[in-house]
Coordinates of all heavy atoms in Angstrom, one line a residue:
I1 N -15.1 -3.8 -3.8 CA -15.6 -4.2 -5.1 C -16.6 -5.4 -5.0 O -17.6 -5.4 -5.7 CB -14.4 -4.5 -6.0 CG1 -13.7 -3.2 -6.4 CG2 -14.8 -5.3 -7.2 CD1 -12.6 -3.3 -7.4
T2 N -16.2 -6.3 -4.2 CA -17.2 -7.5 -4.0 C -18.5 -7.0 -3.5 O -19.6 -7.4 -4.0 CB -16.6 -8.5 -3.1 OG1 -15.4 -9.1 -3.6 CG2 -17.5 -9.7 -2.9
N3 N -18.5 -6.1 -2.5 CA -19.7 -5.6 -2.0 C -20.5 -4.8 -3.0 O -21.8 -4.9 -3.1 CB -19.4 -4.7 -0.7 CG -20.7 -4.2 0.0 OD1 -21.5 -5.0 0.5 ND2 -20.8 -2.9 0.0
M4 N -19.8 -4.0 -3.8 CA -20.5 -3.2 -4.8 C -21.2 -4.1 -5.8 O -22.3 -3.8 -6.3 CB -19.5 -2.4 -5.6 CG -20.0 -1.5 -6.7 SD -18.7 -0.7 -7.7 CE -18.0 -2.2 -8.5
L5 N -20.6 -5.2 -6.2 CA -21.1 -6.1 -7.2 C -22.3 -6.9 -6.7 O -23.0 -7.5 -7.6 CB -20.0 -7.0 -7.8 CG -19.0 -6.3 -8.7 CD1 -18.0 -7.3 -9.2 CD2 -19.7 -5.7 -9.9
R6 N -22.6 -6.8 -5.5 CA -23.9 -7.4 -5.0 C -25.1 -6.7 -5.6 O -26.2 -7.2 -5.8 CB -24.0 -7.3 -3.5 CG -23.0 -8.2 -2.7 CD -23.0 -7.9 -1.2 NE -24.4 -8.1 -0.7 CZ -24.9 -7.5 0.4 NH1 -24.2 -6.6 1.1 NH2 -26.1 -7.8 0.8
S7 N -24.9 -5.4 -6.0 CA -25.9 -4.7 -6.7 C -26.1 -5.0 -8.2 O -27.1 -4.6 -8.8 CB -25.6 -3.1 -6.6 OG -25.6 -2.8 -5.2
Y8 N -25.1 -5.8 -8.7 CA -25.1 -6.0 -10.2 C -25.1 -7.4 -10.6 O -25.3 -7.8 -11.7 CB -23.9 -5.3 -10.8 CG -23.9 -3.8 -10.5 CD1 -23.2 -3.3 -9.5 CD2 -24.7 -2.9 -11.3 CE1 -23.1 -1.9 -9.2 CE2 -24.7 -1.6 -11.0 CZ -24.0 -1.0 -10.0 OH -24.0 0.3 -9.7
I9 N -24.8 -8.3 -9.6 CA -24.8 -9.8 -10.0 C -25.8 -10.5 -9.2 O -25.9 -10.4 -7.9 CB -23.4 -10.4 -9.6 CG1 -22.3 -9.8 -10.5 CG2 -23.4 -11.9 -9.7 CD1 -20.9 -10.2 -10.1
S10 N -26.7 -11.2 -9.9 CA -27.7 -12.0 -9.2 C -28.0 -13.3 -10.0 O -28.4 -14.3 -9.4 CB -29.0 -11.3 -9.0 OG -29.5 -10.8 -10.3
S11 N -27.7 -13.3 -11.3 CA -28.0 -14.5 -12.1 C -26.7 -14.9 -12.8 O -25.7 -14.1 -13.0 CB -29.0 -14.0 -13.2 OG -29.1 -15.0 -14.2
Y12 N -26.7 -16.1 -13.3 CA -25.6 -16.6 -14.2 C -25.4 -15.8 -15.4 O -24.3 -15.7 -15.9 CB -25.8 -18.1 -14.5 CG -27.0 -18.3 -15.5 CD1 -26.8 -18.4 -16.9 CD2 -28.3 -18.5 -15.0 CE1 -27.8 -18.6 -17.7 CE2 -29.3 -18.7 -15.9 CZ -29.1 -18.8 -17.3 OH -30.1 -19.0 -18.1
R13 N -26.5 -15.1 -15.8 CA -26.4 -14.3 -17.0 C -25.5 -13.0 -16.7 O -25.0 -12.4 -17.7 CB -27.8 -13.8 -17.4 CG -28.6 -14.9 -17.9 CD -30.0 -14.3 -18.5 NE -30.9 -15.4 -19.0 CZ -31.8 -16.0 -18.2 NH1 -31.9 -15.6 -16.9 NH2 -32.6 -16.9 -18.7
D14 N -25.3 -12.7 -15.4 CA -24.5 -11.5 -15.1 C -23.0 -11.8 -15.0 O -22.2 -10.9 -14.8 CB -25.0 -11.0 -13.7 CG -26.4 -10.6 -13.7 OD1 -26.9 -10.1 -14.7 OD2 -27.1 -10.8 -12.7
L15 N -22.6 -13.0 -15.2 CA -21.2 -13.4 -15.0 C -20.7 -13.9 -16.4 O -21.4 -14.3 -17.2 CB -21.1 -14.6 -14.0 CG -21.5 -14.2 -12.5 CD1 -21.6 -15.5 -11.7 CD2 -20.5 -13.3 -12.0
P16 N -19.3 -13.7 -16.5 CA -18.3 -13.2 -15.6 C -18.3 -11.7 -15.6 O -18.8 -11.0 -16.5 CB -17.0 -13.8 -16.1 CG -17.2 -13.8 -17.6 CD -18.7 -14.2 -17.8
V17 N -17.6 -11.2 -14.5 CA -17.3 -9.7 -14.5 C -15.8 -9.6 -14.1 O -15.3 -10.3 -13.2 CB -18.2 -9.1 -13.3 CG1 -17.7 -7.6 -13.1 CG2 -19.6 -9.1 -13.7
Y18 N -15.2 -8.8 -15.0 CA -13.7 -8.5 -14.8 C -13.6 -7.0 -14.7 O -14.0 -6.3 -15.7 CB -12.9 -9.0 -15.9 CG -13.2 -10.5 -16.3 CD1 -13.4 -10.8 -17.6 CD2 -13.2 -11.5 -15.3 CE1 -13.7 -12.1 -18.0 CE2 -13.4 -12.8 -15.6 CZ -13.7 -13.1 -17.0 OH -13.9 -14.4 -17.4
V19 N -13.1 -6.5 -13.6 CA -13.0 -5.0 -13.5 C -11.5 -4.7 -12.9 O -10.9 -5.5 -12.2 CB -14.0 -4.4 -12.5 CG1 -15.3 -4.5 -13.1 CG2 -13.9 -5.1 -11.1
Y20 N -11.0 -3.5 -13.3 CA -9.7 -3.1 -12.8 C -9.7 -1.6 -12.7 O -10.5 -0.9 -13.2 CB -8.6 -3.5 -13.8 CG -8.5 -2.8 -15.1 CD1 -7.7 -1.7 -15.3 CD2 -9.3 -3.1 -16.2 CE1 -7.6 -1.0 -16.5 CE2 -9.3 -2.5 -17.4 CZ -8.4 -1.4 -17.5 OH -8.3 -0.7 -18.7
Q21 N -8.7 -1.1 -12.0 CA -8.5 0.3 -11.7 C -7.0 0.6 -11.6 O -6.2 -0.2 -11.3 CB -9.3 0.8 -10.5 CG -8.7 0.1 -9.2 CD -9.4 0.7 -7.9 OE1 -10.1 1.7 -8.0 NE2 -9.3 0.0 -6.8
F22 N -6.7 1.9 -11.8 CA -5.4 2.5 -11.4 C -5.7 3.4 -10.2 O -6.5 4.3 -10.3 CB -4.7 3.2 -12.5 CG -4.4 2.4 -13.7 CD1 -5.3 2.3 -14.8 CD2 -3.2 1.7 -13.8 CE1 -5.0 1.6 -15.9 CE2 -2.9 0.9 -14.9 CZ -3.8 0.8 -15.9
Q23 N -5.0 3.1 -9.1 CA -5.3 3.9 -7.9 C -4.2 4.0 -6.9 O -3.4 3.0 -6.9 CB -6.5 3.3 -7.1 CG -7.1 4.3 -6.0 CD -8.1 3.6 -5.2 OE1 -7.9 2.7 -4.5 NE2 -9.4 4.1 -5.4
N24 N -4.0 5.1 -6.2 CA -3.0 5.2 -5.2 C -3.4 4.4 -4.0 O -4.5 4.6 -3.5 CB -2.8 6.7 -4.8 CG -1.9 7.4 -5.7 OD1 -1.7 7.0 -6.8 ND2 -1.3 8.5 -5.2
K25 N -2.6 3.5 -3.6 CA -2.8 2.7 -2.4 C -2.0 3.3 -1.2 O -0.9 3.8 -1.4 CB -2.4 1.2 -2.6 CG -3.0 0.6 -3.8 CD -4.5 0.4 -3.6 CE -5.1 -0.3 -4.8 NZ -6.6 -0.3 -4.8
L26 N -2.5 3.1 0.0 CA -1.8 3.6 1.2 C -1.6 2.5 2.1 O -2.5 1.8 2.5 CB -2.7 4.7 1.9 CG -3.1 5.9 1.0 CD1 -4.1 6.7 1.7 CD2 -1.9 6.7 0.6
R27 N -0.3 2.2 2.4 CA 0.1 1.1 3.3 C 1.1 1.6 4.3 O 2.1 2.2 3.9 CB 0.6 -0.1 2.5 CG -0.4 -0.7 1.6 CD 0.1 -2.0 0.8 NE -1.0 -2.5 -0.1 CZ -0.8 -3.5 -0.9 NH1 0.4 -4.2 -0.9 NH2 -1.8 -3.9 -1.6
N28 N 0.8 1.3 5.5 CA 1.7 1.8 6.7 C 2.8 0.8 6.8 O 2.9 0.0 7.8 CB 0.9 1.8 7.9 CG 1.5 2.6 9.0 OD1 2.7 3.0 8.8 ND2 0.9 2.7 10.2
E29 N 3.7 0.8 5.8 CA 4.9 0.0 5.8 C 5.9 0.3 6.9 O 6.2 1.5 7.2 CB 5.6 0.1 4.4 CG 4.8 -0.3 3.2 CD 4.7 -1.9 3.0 OE1 5.3 -2.6 3.9 OE2 4.2 -2.3 2.0
L30 N 6.4 -0.7 7.6 CA 7.4 -0.5 8.6 C 8.7 0.0 8.0 O 9.3 1.0 8.6 CB 7.7 -1.8 9.3 CG 8.7 -1.8 10.5 CD1 8.2 -0.9 11.6 CD2 9.0 -3.2 11.0
R31 N 9.1 -0.5 6.8 CA 10.3 0.0 6.2 C 9.9 0.6 4.8 O 9.1 0.1 4.1 CB 11.2 -1.2 5.9 CG 11.8 -1.8 7.2 CD 12.7 -3.0 6.9 NE 11.9 -4.1 6.3 CZ 12.1 -4.5 5.0 NH1 13.0 -3.9 4.2 NH2 11.4 -5.5 4.5
A32 N 10.6 1.7 4.6 CA 10.4 2.4 3.3 C 11.7 2.9 2.8 O 12.0 4.2 2.7 CB 9.3 3.5 3.4
K33 N 12.6 2.0 2.5 CA 14.0 2.4 2.1 C 14.4 2.0 0.7 O 15.6 2.0 0.4 CB 15.0 1.7 3.1 CG 14.8 2.1 4.6 CD 15.8 1.5 5.5 CE 15.6 1.9 6.9 NZ 16.6 1.2 7.8
S34 N 13.4 1.6 -0.1 CA 13.8 1.2 -1.5 C 13.2 2.1 -2.5 O 12.9 1.7 -3.6 CB 13.2 -0.2 -1.7 OG 13.8 -1.1 -0.8
G35 N 13.1 3.4 -2.2 CA 12.6 4.4 -3.2 C 11.2 4.1 -3.5 O 10.4 3.8 -2.7
I36 N 10.9 4.2 -4.8 CA 9.5 3.9 -5.3 C 9.2 2.5 -5.4 O 8.2 2.1 -5.8 CB 9.2 4.7 -6.5 CG1 10.1 4.3 -7.7 CG2 9.3 6.2 -6.3 CD1 9.6 4.9 -9.0
M37 N 10.2 1.6 -5.1 CA 10.0 0.2 -5.1 C 9.2 -0.3 -3.9 O 8.6 -1.4 -3.9 CB 11.3 -0.6 -5.3 CG 11.9 -0.5 -6.7 SD 13.5 -1.1 -6.7 CE 13.4 -2.8 -6.2
R38 N 9.2 0.5 -2.8 CA 8.4 0.2 -1.6 C 8.0 1.5 -1.0 O 8.7 2.1 -0.3 CB 9.1 -0.7 -0.6 CG 8.3 -1.0 0.6 CD 9.0 -2.0 1.6 NE 9.1 -3.3 1.0 CZ 8.1 -4.2 1.1 NH1 6.9 -3.9 1.7 NH2 8.3 -5.4 0.6

């Protein structure tokens, strides 16, 4: 996201920027014993 915003932020007039998303994350957890809590 920081790299992407290099294309859109160059001046103080371009700030602030607040962005969010809902997305599936993938993490190679050593333990996965807490159901959907981990």
Side-chain angles (χ1 to χ4, degrees):
I1 285 183
T2 298
N3 185 61
M4 178 189 72
L5 287 178
R6 292 173 60 207
S7 299
Y8 302 98
I9 294 174
S10 59
S11 164
Y12 68 93
R13 295 186 180 89
D14 302 323
L15 294 168
V17 172
Y18 312 128
V19 294
Y20 72 96
Q21 64 176 346
F22 296 98
Q23 191 187 70
N24 278 19
K25 305 296 184 188
L26 302 173
R27 294 185 183 177
N28 194 359
E29 297 280 3
L30 180 62
R31 293 177 297 114
K33 297 181 179 179
S34 299
I36 61 171
M37 289 170 58
R38 179 175 290 277

